[in-house]
Amino acid sequence: MTATAEIYGKLITLEGGEGAGKSTQAKLLAKWLEDKGIAVALTREPGGAPGAEEIRNLLVTGAVGRWDPLTETMLHYAARREHMARFILPALEAGQWVICDRFIDSTLAYQGYGLGVDLETISKLRETILGAFTPGLTLILDVSPEVRRARTAARPGSEDRYERMTEAFHDRVRAGFHAIAAAETGRCVVIKADQTVEEVSAAIRQATNRVLT
Ligand code: TMP
């Protein structure tokens, strides 16, 4: 999979733990860019392509411990490869900006920091599968454990395998996102997502303006 930095700089990813409001914010960001006349493709992981959506179902439903952690990591990367090949790269090559609700940092935070899969192993997998491909901007939406609990308790649905994992797991995921942001300050911006939808959206627009030039 080859793509130049110029092309993949147009990939914006939204990341964060449960209940951070990423999906709402991804839609608002897409609308804001479209209103500026920018062509946008909005997508999500795990999923975003037919085969990847099938793998998503294996990952987000069922018993908490249904996968060995490394198997789970590889399933996320299998879905990601499919998503990249069939959706993200074609969209970028057609000149669109791509907004993706979760991407590589979720695997590092959830399977690495959360489930204890060796971080170096995940980095190697990433390099093997995606090469040098890196998002141009990553917005990490951060919420306190209290807000996370309140928002996920109010959320219905069967795709709750990760939500049913322990509080300690979700605390490690949050710490993982902070570590990722600290290690890659050029790419990642942490957004305080305990605020209102409009306040979070304004902070996202401000951060995105920096990559629009
Ligand atoms: P979503 O609820 O944001 O659609 O994401 C589904 C779940 O998948 C979410 O709980 C986080 C989890 N996930 C991982 O554990 N690793 C990954 O690489 C990705 C993309 C998602």
Side-chain angles (χ1 to χ4, degrees):
M1 235 180 284
T2 52
T4 65
E6 230 166 275
I7 289 182
Y8 56 69
K10 288 186 170 179
L11 172 66
I12 300 175
T13 57
L14 279 95
E15 297 277 10
E18 307 300 309
K22 288 177 295 78
S23 312
T24 305
Q25 292 299 337
K27 283 183 205 133
L28 290 171
L29 178 59
K31 165 117 188 27
W32 180 67
L33 290 172
E34 277 162 3
D35 288 348
K36 286 175 174 296
I38 295 171
V40 180
L42 179 60
T43 188
R44 67 158 182 190
E45 288 201 348
E53 289 289 333
E54 288 189 43
I55 298 171
R56 176 188 176 94
N57 194 41
L58 298 174
L59 286 161
V60 300
T61 65
V64 162
R66 75 183 284 193
W67 301 112
D68 159 77
L70 186 54
T71 308
E72 182 169 317
T73 304
M74 292 189 290
L75 284 173
H76 277 292
Y77 262 98
R80 183 161 300 133
R81 171 80 192 192
E82 196 63 14
H83 186 209
M84 280 290 300
R86 304 202 187 249
F87 186 90
I88 297 181
L89 278 183
L92 291 173
E93 277 160 5
Q96 290 180 298
W97 284 68
V98 174
I99 297 174
C100 191
D101 182 349
R102 295 197 184 280
F103 196 56
I104 49 174
D105 301 302
S106 280
T107 313
L108 213 49
Y110 280 75
Q111 281 66 49
Y113 289 90
L115 294 179
V117 175
D118 177 51
L119 301 181
E120 188 59 30
T121 301
I122 299 178
S123 296
K124 282 190 201 143
L125 197 54
R126 170 185 166 184
E127 205 185 312
T128 305
I129 292 174
L130 301 183
F133 191 96
T134 307
L137 174 67
T138 296
L139 303 154
I140 298 181
L141 274 56
D142 184 54
V143 289
S144 66
E146 294 72 34
V147 170
R148 176 180 77 219
R149 276 193 291 272
R151 289 187 185 167
T152 50
R155 205 154 61 175
S158 58
E159 290 195 339
D160 62 352
R161 178 168 166 263
Y162 289 98
E163 286 175 23
R164 284 184 272 114
M165 291 188 182
T166 63
E167 284 294 315
F169 168 82
H170 289 290
D171 291 343
R172 289 196 296 276
V173 169
R174 186 182 186 210
F177 278 123
H178 282 253
I180 293 165
E184 285 190 70
T185 50
R187 171 172 70 91
C188 301
V189 179
V190 178
I191 307 278
K192 225 175 115 2
D194 285 353
Q195 315 174 82
T196 65
V197 169
E198 184 40 43
E199 284 166 334
V200 176
S201 174
I204 287 177
R205 290 195 297 269
Q206 195 183 16
T208 305
N209 259 327
R210 294 204 323 227
V211 294
L212 286 185
T213 50

